Amino acid sequence: MNAEDLLQRLRELAIVPVIEIEYADDAIPLGKTLVDAGLPVAEITFRTPVAADAIARMVDNVPGLLVGAGTILSEEDVDAAADAGAHFIVSPGLNASVVERARQRSIPIIPGVTSPSEIEAARSLGLRLLKLFPAEAIGGIPLVKALSAPYPDVSFMPTGGITADTVSAWLAQPSVAACGGSWIATKDAVTGRRWEEITTKAGQAAELAASSPRSHTAGTRA
């Protein structure tokens, strides 16, 4: 998957569950739950020792699931995610060495930015899909509107503080490719194997994505 394919796919999906997994055995049932609910995507954060194993299990055993690796902080993390078969990686900040390693491993990366200077640094590295993090804390929708004016070629994946109640407003912004959300499959729900709860929330998220105005113009931004 290249960067353009990833952007198109994320615009179609619109909402990306950001998930922390404690036990690798939960990866396959979780992935199947998301697919069955109509939201076939997951960003598995590298905040636990089993993240790479969980990603590998999802990639190998859950057809149709787009699997990303989140909280990628180092070149070693890039290698672990790539070796696990992750389709893309996400980092909370912009680290040129991490971007270069991702490029060497031929895996799309979505680095985090918070300011015009960081956006310009990312653009100089050839990146046009960026994570806005922590989205609500650094200015919310007014900020993404302001940033989009001077950088019309950049698409954002806001993450951080977005909820089921606010995601539709975010998705209505033309520059927003997708939103990351941790409310769909919380750490407690996954650890407790509350698959019905996750199915409900993922299904609701898929409905919100489908009803968003931006879903009808997916792929129109660079």
Side-chain angles (χ1 to χ4, degrees):
M1 174 174 287
N2 60 35
E4 291 182 1
D5 292 337
L6 176 61
L7 174 59
Q8 175 65 27
R9 186 63 179 133
L10 289 177
R11 281 195 166 274
E12 293 169 355
L13 293 164
I15 299 175
V16 179
V18 178
I19 306 169
E20 184 174 340
I21 294 182
E22 283 285 341
Y23 304 102
D25 286 346
D26 294 332
I28 295 174
L30 172 60
K32 290 181 177 178
T33 295
L34 294 171
V35 170
D36 291 345
L39 192 65
V41 58
E43 177 189 325
I44 306 303
T45 65
F46 266 51
R47 296 182 183 181
T48 68
V50 307
D53 188 9
I55 289 169
R57 295 190 191 200
M58 285 181 163
V59 170
D60 291 342
N61 296 281
V62 188
L65 183 68
L66 181 67
V67 186
T71 321
I72 299 299
L73 303 177
S74 66
E75 295 177 47
E76 292 76 15
D77 287 346
V78 174
D79 287 337
D83 290 343
H87 301 125
F88 65 97
I89 61 177
V90 184
S91 58
L94 178 63
N95 182 322
S97 65
V98 170
V99 171
E100 178 57 27
R101 188 59 178 167
R103 188 162 288 151
Q104 292 171 356
R105 294 300 305 264
S106 299
I107 183 169
I109 181 171
I110 309 173
V113 298
T114 62
S115 69
S117 294
E118 291 176 341
I119 292 172
E120 293 191 14
R123 290 178 75 256
S124 73
L125 295 172
L127 301 168
R128 295 295 185 273
L129 174 58
L130 307 174
K131 175 179 180 176
L132 189 67
F133 176 81
E136 290 286 0
I138 61 172
I141 290 173
L143 177 62
V144 80
K145 286 181 176 180
L147 292 174
S148 298
Y151 306 110
D153 59 339
V154 172
S155 295
F156 296 99
M157 185 171 76
T159 306
I162 298 173
T163 68
D165 293 328
T166 62
V167 69
S168 292
W170 279 97
L171 293 176
Q173 307 308 311
S175 63
V176 171
C179 289
S182 58
W183 80 89
I184 297 163
T186 65
K187 182 179 178 180
D188 286 345
V190 174
T191 302
R193 299 184 174 181
R194 301 200 298 267
W195 308 131
E196 289 187 8
E197 174 185 323
I198 295 171
T199 296
T200 298
K201 291 183 177 180
Q204 291 171 343
E207 290 177 2
L208 288 171
S211 64
S212 173
R214 44 86 61 214
S215 67
H216 304 300
T217 58
T220 59
R221 281 183 66 92

